[in-house]
Amino acid sequence: MRKRKTRHHLKNKCRYGLSTPENLMNLWDDKHAAWHTLFRNMDLDEIIECLKRVRELQKRKGGLK
């Protein structure tokens, strides 16, 4: 299977994200698919907030030190 890179928009095109260099990230196909499996169509700010909530939940349950 041949690997190829894809352009991933940090702010979705459906949410008026532009195809500018600062809004694009090149990812390998498999990593791009994993990104969408984990984060669906969240934009970067939403992902950061989601990860902060996960971190806080783990702290409260004693999962992280």
Side-chain angles (χ1 to χ4, degrees):
M1 182 161 87
R2 202 169 119 184
K3 285 181 126 184
R4 71 182 190 111
K5 285 201 170 185
T6 60
R7 294 184 322 160
H8 175 78
H9 288 81
L10 297 173
K11 182 172 183 177
N12 301 329
K13 287 173 28 177
C14 65
R15 295 188 193 177
Y16 310 106
L18 302 175
S19 293
T20 58
E22 54 274 353
N23 191 44
L24 290 172
M25 178 171 61
N26 289 320
L27 293 174
W28 293 107
D29 277 342
D30 57 342
K31 289 182 178 42
H32 192 203
W35 179 283
H36 283 289
T37 298
L38 287 171
F39 303 120
R40 298 187 179 260
N41 284 327
M42 289 187 227
D43 67 24
L44 194 54
D45 291 330
E46 292 169 333
I47 291 168
I48 291 167
E49 287 304 312
C50 178
L51 292 174
K52 284 179 181 178
R53 286 192 310 267
V54 169
R55 174 109 171 138
E56 283 304 310
L57 286 170
Q58 283 187 322
K59 280 183 180 180
R60 279 190 239 148
K61 293 190 181 236
L64 294 176
K65 304 288 181 203

